Amino acid sequence: MTALPWRTAWTIARRDLSARFRGLRLLLVCLFLGVGAIAAIGTLTGSIESELGSRGREILGGDIELRVWQRDLSADERAALARLGKVSQGYRMQAIASRGDATAPVALKAVDGGWPLYGRLELTDGRRVGAPPPGTVWIAKGTAARLGVGAGGRIALGGVPVTVGGIIAADPEQMSEGFALGDTAVAPLDLPARAGLTTPGAMYRSAVRVRFADPGRDPEAVVDALKARFGDGAFETRTRKAASPSTERFVVRMGEFLVLVGLAALVIAGIGIGGGVSSYLEARRTSIATLKVLGATSGDIARIYLLQVGTAALAGSAGGLLAGVLVTPLLASALQSLLPVDAGLTVSPAALATAAAYGLLVALVFAAPPLVRARGWPAMALMRSRVAPLATDRKALALPVGLGLAAIVALALANAAQPLVTLGFLGGSAAMLGLLALIGTGIRRLAARLPRPRGPMLRAGLANLHRPGAQTGALVTALGFGLSAFVLIAAVQTSLEANIRRTVPDRAPDFFVLDVPQAKAADFRGAVVQAVPGAVVKMVPNLRGRILAYGPQGAMTKVSALGKDLPDGAWALRGERGLTYSANVPEGSTVTSGQWWPQGYAGEPLVSLDEKLAEAIGLKVGDYVTVGVLGVERTARIAALRRIDWDSLGFNYVLVFSPSALADAPHNLAATIEVPGGVSTAGLLPRLVRGFPSSSVIETGSLLRDARDLLDQMSAAILSAASVAVLAGLAVLLGAIAAARASRTYDTVILRVLGASRRQLLVLQMAEYGLIAAVLAVVALAAGSAMAWAVIVKLFEFTWLPDWPRVLAVLAAGLVLILGFALAGSLPLLRAKPARALREL
């Protein structure tokens, strides 16, 4: 028999396809949500990464940057840089700006006359400027507001009187500067020395940028050559290709998480697509049977309904792509102050193509089973499908489903920054689908073997779980994923909140002070106690250093050899760290392995490490650690491991050395001030600023509030994006309930003819859904918690800290919501007219 041409198949498909896609709206909604989420996420992250790449020179302020702590570059280092092109020298440090009794902490950026090598600083009056003239500073809006000063006003910076030359509107280098305890202030290069901020032991950082004479020169090759000449630990380096590594890392991790959220939404949506297509074809079984009676082949049926489903899938995907493009400017506007992103309308062909591919592939995988089932059965079997449900030809599914799944995996891995995490997510999704399918089969078989209850409604509800044509499998899959999404969101949210509380704790010293001169320690303590009687002052030596190597003596691992592949939890290997020394175990630390050095110890240099860092990089007592301090390598033997109380913002140093290891290095002290409750601190800041102008005094109250607000915004953004998966889950739930309702019309009508009341029918529905939901609640709790753990621990590298009572409460609310949907979905069954329904069967 000759197959229908595609044009004829399209003519038949178009006539049967409603302009409003009636019967396929669930497919449209699911694809709209999933594709829209992935399109928006891909466009936004692509735009940010593009900006980071194209504006790398401006963000960094040069082609390469070298950073060293508490010293200037040596003459040989400066000479090597001068041969590469134009050099700009600068300093970065904490300082205090004051005007009268008003003070404000600032992140001071001292620059030479050649700054910036790329781009310009923009002021609020519209000027685009470079380095400020002698005796002048540029300050941020927040500093100006706190000091009550404007352009032309006079302030003191580190005790040195200066004139405010303008208010900063935009600093192209802000993103590369990293975290700072205060707003930016830009000053001439000589100001730190005049203020005593660069004396030996002061906590400052030299930052030297280079603009290549040859713009095409490879910055990575230059950095490698400099390290080969001067050593891996001589300085920290950055290039225009990675001007803001922390921002780039955050964007990549966040983008991958959000893509996984979109994929989760699509996987959940795929279940809805399968259910929606099954319901759609079920409603057209008579039409399919008629076409087969008239001579249509199975291939003809496949073409007709593939065209209908494909048209709906294209429409849903196109709508999702359009929504993703339109919502991106709104997201960009919200993030513009934090990330380099254009708030205008952005179209990323690669991101849109990826999103569309995901949507269409998911539609193929989940729509294939009902399409194959509909094409492969004779007309009489279709006529009897109400009482003799159609089976699926599993061999025919192998090609479309197998190819679709392989393409989804390949596409996900090709776009993954962390392939193992992505592969784990895909494997977890497949395992979840398989588990739910097994649970569905188990529920059906168990229901068939259980003793029959005496109550007729309970007996009928139990029978509904295993009777021919029962929707148990579809309901288990939909409800399982829906409930798992609720648990996932609750566990992620509560873990994020707990990490925020842990990272930014409620209890902390009232003030932090940096760069207290050792010789003035007693004067400092006296000044604090005079201004605030009863205040508790704690001071510790404060240095900066970088871990260069670690491990057993003679077989130490160089950190530079690890590249970007640092072990999980080894964050302390990135860049410079705070270092200190102490004769006693620091407050808030507990020795868990080894022994602390005795009082007055002056032997071999020793060090104590955080036990979690030691575990992450495989260190034990007796191994060695080499650090670079002021350009000098110092090696110490690990004498003890400590458990650190991170729940306070006290002095929590990862590395604490014996006094003999670091006491000879130039350094100042860091101090904390704890004020008794109810005692005023009004006179403390002015007194300290006047008496110790080179020290930086930081109030923690406003700092903690700002940090909490920032982390709360991040948490809200993550959960807002994750809500797409919940919306998809709700759509699937509604679709599954609607599909089950359609299949129950026959049973409900028969029961009503036999005299069943509405209340009895509702009890019947609640019994069926209640049993399924009770079983799935346990599965959802385990599966949702496992996925949330992977997101928190593996993707974001946070600590797993869910609030189980809240998670269980959300799960219970999800169960109530599901039962409410089931009850609402059953109401149309009660209004069905028996005579009419029987005529349509």
Side-chain angles (χ1 to χ4, degrees):
M1 186 177 293
T2 304
L4 284 176
W6 282 100
R7 178 175 294 181
T8 304
W10 169 243
T11 300
I12 298 173
R14 186 181 57 195
R15 288 176 179 173
D16 191 38
L17 188 65
S18 169
R20 292 178 293 177
F21 294 100
R22 185 173 183 180
L24 290 172
R25 290 172 188 166
L26 180 60
L27 181 149
L28 285 171
V29 171
C30 291
L31 283 178
F32 176 84
L33 289 172
V35 172
I38 293 181
I41 293 162
T43 301
L44 181 64
T45 54
S47 176
I48 295 172
E49 291 172 1
S50 176
E51 287 289 307
L52 285 172
S54 63
R55 290 172 47 193
R57 286 187 170 98
E58 289 186 16
I59 292 172
L60 181 64
D63 290 298
I64 63 170
E65 179 191 58
L66 274 63
R67 292 183 174 187
V68 294
W69 278 91
Q70 299 177 287
R71 70 177 182 91
D72 287 323
L73 293 185
S74 67
D76 286 345
E77 290 168 340
R78 289 197 299 269
L81 296 181
R83 287 191 288 270
L84 299 173
K86 186 177 180 180
V87 178
S88 175
Q89 181 180 355
Y91 298 112
R92 306 292 185 270
M93 64 200 69
Q94 291 296 137
I96 292 292
S98 62
R99 181 172 180 260
D101 287 342
T103 62
V106 297
L108 180 60
K109 179 159 60 175
V111 297
D112 64 11
W115 179 88
L117 297 177
Y118 291 97
R120 305 295 282 175
L121 186 75
E122 185 177 337
L123 302 180
T124 54
D125 59 12
R127 286 183 292 161
R128 296 174 61 82
V129 299
T136 304
V137 294
W138 316 126
I139 63 174
K141 296 176 184 178
T143 304
R146 187 164 179 173
L147 298 180
V149 68
R154 298 282 289 176
I155 64 172
L157 195 56
V160 177
V162 291
T163 300
V164 177
I167 310 300
I168 299 172
D171 180 1
E173 299 176 359
Q174 184 64 43
M175 194 166 302
S176 68
E177 299 293 352
F179 176 74
L181 299 173
D183 294 322
T184 300
V186 183
L189 187 65
D190 65 341
L191 187 141
R194 292 167 55 200
L197 299 175
T198 55
T199 56
M203 194 59 59
Y204 69 94
R205 184 178 73 235
S206 296
V208 182
R209 279 91 180 259
V210 181
R211 177 171 181 161
F212 291 157
D214 177 10
R217 193 163 194 168
D218 182 10
E220 303 294 344
V222 170
V223 165
D224 290 342
L226 290 172
K227 288 185 176 181
R229 177 175 176 182
F230 296 106
D232 292 328
F235 32 65
E236 293 181 17
T237 60
R238 288 191 298 171
T239 72
R240 64 173 185 256
K241 294 182 178 180
S244 183
S246 58
T247 301
E248 189 172 357
R249 186 164 53 248
F250 170 78
V251 170
V252 169
R253 293 285 177 87
M254 180 64 73
E256 184 163 17
F257 167 71
L258 295 177
V259 167
L260 291 180
V261 168
L263 276 176
L266 272 177
V267 170
I268 296 172
I271 301 168
I273 289 169
V277 173
S278 293
S279 298
Y280 180 74
L281 294 175
E282 174 64 23
R284 280 155 179 76
R285 64 186 177 87
T286 304
S287 301
I288 296 173
T290 302
L291 287 171
K292 287 205 166 188
V293 168
L294 294 175
T297 65
S298 296
D300 297 335
I301 299 299
R303 287 189 186 88
I304 292 169
Y305 289 98
L306 178 63
L307 286 171
Q308 291 185 355
V309 173
T311 301
L314 287 173
S317 299
L321 295 176
L322 180 61
V325 170
L326 294 178
V327 80
T328 301
L330 300 177
L331 299 174
S333 297
L335 297 172
Q336 200 169 26
S337 61
L338 301 174
L339 297 171
V341 58
D342 186 0
L345 191 66
T346 303
V347 177
S348 172
L352 297 183
T354 300
Y358 274 131
L360 295 177
L361 286 171
V362 168
L364 169 66
V365 168
F366 285 93
L371 285 172
V372 168
R373 186 167 59 246
R375 69 181 286 274
W377 280 79
M380 291 309 296
L382 286 165
M383 294 293 190
R384 296 193 306 269
S385 64
R386 288 285 189 188
V387 293
L390 306 181
T392 302
D393 183 359
R394 299 186 183 278
K395 292 183 180 179
L397 285 177
L399 183 61
V401 173
L403 288 178
L405 289 174
I408 290 172
V409 172
L411 188 61
L413 293 179
N415 291 280
Q418 292 180 287
L420 290 179
V421 174
T422 301
L423 194 61
F425 168 81
L426 295 173
S429 298
M432 183 69 176
L433 284 171
L435 176 63
L436 291 174
L438 289 175
I439 291 173
T441 302
I443 289 176
R444 293 187 65 169
R445 292 182 177 178
L446 180 62
R449 295 178 182 178
L450 285 176
R452 297 294 175 260
R454 292 185 178 181
M457 291 299 102
L458 290 179
R459 187 166 60 248
L462 188 64
N464 276 345
L465 296 176
H466 64 85
R467 64 176 175 78
Q471 295 291 315
T472 305
L475 284 173
V476 165
T477 304
L479 298 182
F481 262 98
L483 288 173
S484 298
F486 282 117
V487 173
L488 169 66
I489 297 300
V492 168
Q493 180 182 17
T494 56
S495 282
L496 286 175
E497 290 175 352
N499 276 278
I500 290 171
R501 290 193 299 270
R502 182 177 179 179
T503 305
V504 189
D506 292 326
R507 58 185 179 93
D510 298 277
F511 297 90
F512 271 106
V513 187
L514 301 176
D515 284 331
V516 178
Q518 292 189 70
K520 293 185 176 182
D523 295 339
F524 178 85
R525 190 182 301 273
V528 172
V529 173
Q530 287 180 13
V532 185
V536 177
V537 180
K538 300 175 183 177
M539 287 185 280
V540 298
N542 189 33
L543 301 91
R544 299 288 297 189
R546 182 183 179 190
I547 299 176
L548 303 178
Y550 60 88
Q553 190 173 28
M556 298 178 71
T557 300
K558 287 189 174 183
V559 174
S560 60
L562 299 176
K564 295 182 179 180
D565 299 325
L566 299 180
D568 290 341
W571 54 270
L573 300 183
R574 293 193 183 103
E576 301 266 358
R577 295 288 123 204
L579 308 176
T580 191
Y581 60 84
S582 176
N584 302 309
V585 179
E587 182 179 350
S589 292
T590 303
V591 175
T592 58
S593 179
Q595 290 185 341
W596 201 260
W597 39 89
Q599 288 284 342
Y601 176 81
E604 175 190 12
L606 302 176
V607 65
S608 172
L609 262 69
D610 171 31
E611 64 175 359
K612 291 186 177 179
L613 173 63
E615 181 182 355
I617 59 179
L619 289 178
K620 62 184 183 301
V621 172
D623 289 339
Y624 288 80
V625 173
T626 298
V627 296
V629 181
L630 296 172
V632 178
E633 294 187 6
R634 297 171 182 255
T635 300
R637 179 172 58 84
I638 300 175
L641 303 179
R642 292 169 293 122
R643 180 183 302 114
I644 300 176
D645 176 17
W646 296 103
D647 290 340
S648 69
L649 279 180
F651 292 121
N652 296 320
Y653 287 88
V654 174
L655 293 93
V656 178
F657 290 81
S658 61
S660 59
L662 293 179
D664 61 321
H667 63 276
N668 287 331
L669 305 177
T672 61
I673 303 173
E674 298 181 15
V675 179
V679 177
S680 172
T681 61
L684 178 60
L685 275 175
R687 188 185 189 100
L688 294 179
V689 169
R690 287 192 298 267
F692 307 88
S694 63
S695 300
S696 299
V697 185
I698 301 156
E699 288 185 271
T700 60
S702 59
L703 178 66
L704 293 179
R705 285 193 296 272
D706 292 343
R708 286 193 190 99
D709 289 344
L710 180 62
L711 293 172
D712 284 340
Q713 290 173 14
M714 183 189 77
S715 176
I718 291 172
L719 294 172
S720 296
S723 64
V724 174
V726 175
L727 290 176
L730 292 177
V732 171
L733 289 177
L734 291 172
I737 291 171
R741 181 187 66 203
S743 67
R744 286 190 179 87
T745 302
Y746 176 84
D747 307 307
T748 304
V749 166
I750 296 300
L751 289 173
R752 288 190 63 189
V753 169
L754 295 176
S757 67
R758 293 189 175 187
R759 186 187 65 81
Q760 289 175 317
L761 293 175
L762 289 177
V763 169
L764 172 64
Q765 298 296 315
M766 296 299 288
E768 179 181 352
Y769 282 99
L771 178 60
I772 294 176
V775 173
L776 291 179
V778 178
V779 177
L781 182 61
S785 298
M787 290 186 286
W789 176 86
V791 169
I792 293 294
V793 176
K794 294 300 182 182
L795 190 59
F796 286 120
E797 298 181 357
F798 289 165
T799 304
W800 175 237
L801 298 170
D803 183 345
W804 290 113
R806 286 179 60 185
V807 172
L808 293 174
V810 169
L811 178 59
L815 289 171
V816 172
L817 187 63
I818 286 171
L819 293 177
F821 282 157
L823 185 63
S826 301
L827 294 178
L829 294 176
L830 305 180
R831 295 193 294 267
K833 303 297 183 183
R836 179 179 176 182
L838 291 172
R839 283 197 303 270
E840 293 177 352
L841 293 175

